[in-house]
Amino acid sequence: MPPDHLCLEISETGAVANLEQAEQFIRAMTDLGCQFALDDFGSGLSSFAYLRNLPVQTLKIDGSFVREAAANQISESMVVAIAQVAKVMGLRTIAEYVESEDVAAKMREIDVDYGQGFHLGRPQPLNNVLADLAASSPREVVVAG
């Protein structure tokens, strides 16, 4: 598989635990053509400060904010803030724990780029996903991960 088709995830907690090593690893893999997503963004204490130092292309917004965003103004505000900062930085966003149409609609309203959760699709064995990809043209396949 070409490296530019791979998006690797690194958790915010894991990246922050050894910021220098994480940054070097991400840069090395990015130089090969891989993309990176910073997982569980917002769960750490100093997320925005660390974000400036990590060369990622995507933020996965922590599900603890996403799952309540349709019903809780504070959670919604957190998602809005993360999405706005990501847009300014030229990063894509993925909302974790999209478990209902209400949450999916709220994420569209907020302009989050992608969603992940049971409302959008259930996890599948890799063999099933690869078989679906082989049977479809690239423009027809949408994998909710």
Side-chain angles (χ1 to χ4, degrees):
M1 177 173 285
D4 64 339
H5 285 66
L6 295 176
C7 182
L8 307 171
E9 291 184 13
I10 186 166
S11 72
E12 178 183 0
T13 307
V16 169
N18 196 332
L19 192 58
E20 186 177 324
Q21 227 176 7
E23 186 177 353
Q24 289 173 358
F25 175 72
I26 293 170
R27 287 193 193 284
M29 296 304 289
T30 302
D31 288 346
L32 294 175
C34 297
Q35 301 284 308
F36 265 88
L38 187 59
D39 194 22
D40 297 329
F41 187 78
S43 62
L45 297 176
S46 301
S47 300
F48 290 111
Y50 293 119
L51 182 58
R52 291 183 301 176
N53 298 317
L54 293 172
V56 298
Q57 295 78 36
T58 305
L59 290 184
K60 290 184 73 177
I61 303 169
D62 188 70
S64 64
F65 302 124
V66 172
R67 77 176 115 210
E68 296 179 8
N72 180 301
Q73 190 175 17
I74 294 170
S75 294
E76 177 185 355
S77 295
M78 297 296 288
V79 174
V80 167
I82 293 168
Q84 286 177 339
V85 168
K87 295 290 182 211
V88 168
M89 295 181 72
L91 304 176
R92 294 179 302 260
T93 49
I94 301 173
E96 297 180 322
Y97 287 92
V98 178
E99 306 295 319
S100 69
E101 180 52 36
D102 288 345
V103 172
K106 182 59 71 175
M107 294 305 106
R108 286 190 295 272
E109 178 185 316
I110 293 171
D111 200 23
V112 171
D113 297 306
Y114 302 101
Q116 177 182 3
F118 287 161
H119 175 70
L120 303 172
R122 297 275 178 179
Q124 297 182 44
L126 181 58
N127 287 341
N128 293 4
V129 174
L130 294 176
D132 289 346
L133 287 171
S136 303
S137 76
R139 293 185 188 139
E140 296 173 348
V141 176
V142 176
V143 178

